[in-house]
Amino acid sequence: MGANRMLLFAAYTEIGLNIAALTYYCGPVIVIILSQVMFREKMTSAKLCG
């Protein structure tokens, strides 16, 4: 958790607050999309609702 926050604040200084915050909070969506591509997981209605 501490490393996560340190990297988030480092991203704020490198790429700016808007883009860093957007990518930080879109992380779960990015993981779902990449899991379909990399691990060939099926998209279920439960995953879409989540």
Side-chain angles (χ1 to χ4, degrees), residues 8-31:
L8 177 63
F9 290 125
Y12 287 159
T13 60
E14 292 293 321
I15 60 175
L17 180 67
N18 296 333
I19 296 173
L22 181 67
T23 55
Y24 180 75
Y25 289 116
C26 288
V29 175
I30 295 169
V31 168

Side-chain angles (χ1 to χ4, degrees), residues 4-48:
N4 185 15
R5 288 291 176 175
M6 285 178 23
L7 292 174
L8 177 63
F9 290 125
Y12 287 159
T13 60
E14 292 293 321
I15 60 175
L17 180 67
N18 296 333
I19 296 173
L22 181 67
T23 55
Y24 180 75
Y25 289 116
C26 288
V29 175
I30 295 169
V31 168
I32 289 172
I33 292 170
L34 287 178
S35 69
Q36 291 177 358
V37 173
M38 294 176 65
F39 302 120
R40 310 227 191 281
E41 289 188 6
K42 303 279 186 201
M43 180 57 73
T44 62
S45 59
K47 288 181 185 177
L48 284 174

